[in-house]
Amino acid sequence: QVQLVESGGGLVQPGGSLKLSCAASGFTLGHYAIGWFRQAPGAERERILCMSSSDEITYYVDSVKGRFTASRDNAKLAAYLEMNSLETEDTAIYFCAAAAGGCGWPVDYWGQGTQVTVSG
């Protein structure tokens, strides 16, 4: 069964850090680009960044550059989003997604999301 499961969300104070995990099953993670998305209350889902199968990262949101980074461990079938210097504007549900065609292609699999709340 193909599945992506996020974890690691929670409540953090402004300036704090969180590391989200995305556990994959049922497919070969290393063959897929991994995208991270978020959806804030009342807003549309936005793509934050994408990590290609060769681990090249492309950012789509300027405000996270220098604060967020992605990584993966193909042996553990997991991908990660490390978020530093968190701001209240980062509050959202965060999703990971996998695309076999690469970062510019439609998503094949979505995770269910994990809530991140930044509040002091």
Side-chain angles (χ1 to χ4, degrees):
Q1 180 182 3
V2 172
Q3 201 171 13
L4 285 172
V5 178
E6 298 96 337
S7 61
L11 174 64
V12 63
Q13 292 185 340
S17 299
L18 280 176
K19 186 174 182 177
L20 306 183
S21 298
C22 175
S25 60
F27 65 101
T28 305
L29 183 68
H31 295 172
Y32 286 71
I34 299 297
W36 286 93
F37 296 73
R38 67 184 179 186
Q39 186 166 17
E44 294 187 354
R45 188 176 299 187
E46 67 173 350
R47 184 172 51 174
I48 304 169
L49 58 80
C50 184
M51 181 172 56
S52 71
S53 57
S54 58
D55 294 346
E56 180 179 354
I57 298 173
T58 302
Y59 290 90
Y60 300 96
V61 176
D62 287 342
S63 66
V64 307
K65 291 180 181 178
R67 300 190 298 122
F68 290 14
T69 190
S71 60
R72 72 166 82 210
D73 186 333
N74 291 330
K76 294 184 178 180
L77 300 179
Y80 307 97
L81 179 67
E82 186 167 356
M83 307 183 294
N84 299 307
S85 301
L86 282 161
E87 303 168 355
T88 56
E89 293 77 12
D90 296 318
T91 294
I93 301 172
Y94 283 71
F95 302 85
C96 63
C103 287
W105 290 81
V107 169
D108 293 289
Y109 311 120
W110 285 96
Q112 85 290 350
T114 186
Q115 176 71 47
V116 172
T117 302
V118 184
S119 176

